[in-house]
Amino acid sequence: YWVTCDNTVGTAKSYITYSDNAVSFSSGNDCVWCKDVINIDMNATFKAYLSGSGVATEAYCGGVTMGKTFTKEGMANLVCDNPSSSYTLTLDGYFQISSYGGFRFGSSTQPITRTNKFILNRVSPTVGTGTNTGFFSLYRRTSSGYFRGKMSALMYGEYAGKEYGVLAQNANISQNQIVLTEDLSSHWNVNDWICIGKFDYGGSVTTISSWHQIQSISGNTITLKTNLASYNRLAGGIVINRSIYGIDITGGYQGYFHMNLGTPSHLEIHGVSSYELQIGLTNGSSYMQAYSQPENSTKWDISHNCFWSDSTSYYQLIGSASFAPPKGFIFQYNNCNRIASHYTLSIVNNRVFKSGFIEGKYNNYLALYNVGINYNTGSSAVKIDFQNNIFQGAAMGQGL
């Protein structure tokens, strides 16, 4: 069931599609719909098309129909398993996810390795006037929230045993070496990109926080390819590495990479390095979300990732007015640079269930100029538990 336009434009409101014809794929030319499991085993671009009469904005590059089973893995018809080399999947437009459909990149038992990275890239649609690209739950429009969600959104990438280090001593902008409290040479590599926190600056860091590339590692000492930029760094500064993950999300420089998921049955993101990703877990001011029965849903889990931007603008990972499902939502062991993980943390209810709980633990936040919790008690019934997070170069404001 393919919605082609909203309720105010166009004459062809929707199509019902069906096909059992086996077809070949031409990268950059085809809009891909996954009725059965499709495994990404090559570099591929899913091509955007305008979907129907009267539609000049919304471009679609494909979608996933309902999976064969209601299990977490069984819903996913778009997958990338055991890539033999590094593959890039480029989305050129909206990729729709049906209820009880989904995508899975890697698996919990066999994550995608750093050697054979899976790269998820977005480009602005090549047709239409819209600029948004990414994964969207049917129906995407804000005028109807009833059918959104219930899908399976799974990403499993490898991550290093040590995802961050700590400065053992001060480092000045005139030098290209930093000394850590431990030897990370068995976890980090030459040419990795790192960002160094604890700026020696009297306020929130509103300039671009600098990324530096590793030239060499010898014991606790890391030599950079360039001198430290922006500010001196102080002992105790957190040093994060964005290059040590099995999945990379790119293309955010053309606008957010969107994952507008509504209320998924299963949401697990591990081992991902993401540039300006935004995850939508509600439908604007429409809170009439569908949610799976308890026997067909699990706790949301976003852990061991790096979410980053190099922009002076303010970016957010989880948008405002999100849901916390009854089984809970945990966000832990993530490194965030110039990305607020939860912006205006106002957890809302819907007509089916009261929100559960949300946990944020052991995360590192570098160079934020908005941080805090704006808890909307008027629309929330939820437990919020944030502990043991580190903030460096941050000021109190509207996000977390």
Side-chain angles (χ1 to χ4, degrees):
Y1 176 70
W2 186 3
V3 176
T4 63
C5 57
D6 66 14
N7 296 325
T8 60
V9 300
T11 56
K13 293 294 189 292
S14 65
Y15 296 110
I16 294 175
T17 62
Y18 176 82
S19 175
D20 266 343
N21 296 325
V23 295
S24 60
F25 169 70
S26 177
S27 181
N29 294 316
D30 289 334
C31 178
V32 177
W33 287 83
C34 306
K35 180 181 74 71
D36 297 309
V37 175
I38 291 179
N39 184 34
I40 304 299
D41 60 358
M42 60 180 288
N43 294 324
T45 296
F46 292 176
K47 170 71 173 177
Y49 286 91
L50 294 176
S51 56
S53 173
V55 178
T57 301
E58 312 280 358
Y60 296 86
C61 66
V64 170
T65 63
M66 186 174 69
K68 297 299 183 184
T69 70
F70 290 125
T71 63
K72 180 167 62 176
E73 293 81 10
M75 293 185 198
N77 278 348
L78 179 66
V79 304
C80 182
D81 267 329
N82 307 320
S84 58
S85 63
S86 181
Y87 298 135
T88 298
L89 171 62
T90 298
L91 299 183
D92 174 8
Y94 294 131
F95 192 86
Q96 298 284 325
I97 310 292
S98 83
S99 295
Y100 301 109
F103 58 87
R104 177 180 57 79
F105 307 133
S107 70
S108 58
T109 57
Q110 195 165 13
I112 295 175
T113 67
R114 290 187 283 168
T115 302
N116 295 334
K117 282 181 180 287
F118 178 69
I119 301 170
L120 186 59
N121 182 46
R122 63 141 290 177
V123 296
S124 294
T126 52
V127 294
T129 58
T131 60
N132 291 330
T133 293
F135 293 106
F136 283 83
S137 166
L138 288 170
Y139 168 62
R140 197 192 73 81
R141 288 285 181 176
T142 58
S143 59
S144 176
Y146 296 101
F147 311 109
R148 294 167 53 81
K150 297 188 287 187
M151 83 287 286
S152 201
L154 309 172
M155 294 188 183
Y156 304 101
E158 179 188 18
Y159 51 88
K162 293 287 185 179
E163 297 165 64
Y164 73 92
V166 179
L167 284 183
Q169 61 191 44
N170 295 349
N172 298 323
I173 59 174
S174 59
Q175 66 188 59
N176 70 335
Q177 285 189 340
I178 59 173
V179 180
L180 304 182
T181 57
E182 59 183 323
D183 181 359
L184 297 183
S185 58
S186 61
H187 302 280
W188 294 5
N189 301 311
V190 171
N191 294 323
D192 283 358
W193 288 93
I194 62 175
C195 186
I196 306 160
K198 209 165 185 182
F199 293 75
D200 187 9
Y201 176 76
S204 61
V205 179
T206 57
T207 59
I208 295 175
S209 51
S210 303
W211 289 89
H212 295 83
Q213 205 166 13
I214 295 176
Q215 179 172 294
S216 64
I217 306 177
S218 178
N220 292 29
T221 300
I222 294 179
T223 301
L224 309 173
K225 291 187 176 182
T226 56
N227 289 342
L228 284 176
S230 303
Y231 306 98
N232 296 336
R233 313 302 205 280
L234 302 179
I238 298 295
V239 183
I240 64 175
N241 188 326
R242 78 185 196 210
S243 304
I244 54 176
Y245 301 91
I247 298 176
D248 286 353
I249 297 178
T250 63
Y253 50 84
Q254 303 174 60
Y256 279 119
F257 193 113
H258 290 275
M259 288 188 187
N260 201 335
L261 304 178
T263 49
S265 297
H266 311 284
L267 172 61
E268 296 183 12
I269 299 177
H270 307 295
V272 173
S273 175
S274 175
Y275 184 81
E276 295 178 7
L277 169 68
Q278 185 176 62
I279 302 174
L281 298 173
T282 185
N283 192 26
S285 60
S286 176
Y287 302 144
M288 300 78 71
Q289 304 291 331
Y291 188 72
S292 297
Q293 295 299 313
E295 62 270 19
N296 187 47
S297 59
T298 53
K299 185 176 185 177
W300 296 348
D301 186 351
I302 298 179
S303 305
H304 298 285
N305 306 287
C306 182
F307 302 107
W308 63 280
S309 172
D310 56 5
S311 172
T312 57
S313 299
Y314 186 66
Y315 283 89
Q316 53 186 290
L317 177 67
I318 308 295
S320 61
S322 295
F323 282 118
K327 292 188 177 180
F329 176 18
I330 189 164
F331 186 89
Q332 62 181 350
Y333 300 107
N334 298 293
N335 295 313
C336 299
N337 175 59
R338 298 207 60 76
I339 293 284
S341 64
H342 297 78
Y343 178 76
T344 310
L345 185 57
S346 52
I347 311 300
V348 298
N349 303 316
N350 74 1
R351 297 178 182 178
V352 179
F353 64 89
K354 301 297 183 183
S355 285
F357 64 95
I358 181 169
E359 303 170 81
K361 298 181 177 180
Y362 308 107
N363 303 293
N364 297 314
Y365 297 86
L366 304 187
L368 297 180
Y369 56 93
N370 278 303
V371 59
I373 294 178
N374 180 18
Y375 175 45
N376 188 341
T377 57
S379 60
S380 305
V382 63
K383 176 183 177 182
I384 299 176
D385 183 10
F386 276 75
Q387 299 184 47
N388 300 305
N389 301 288
I390 294 175
F391 300 88
Q392 295 184 350
M396 185 59 69
Q398 288 280 320
L400 178 64

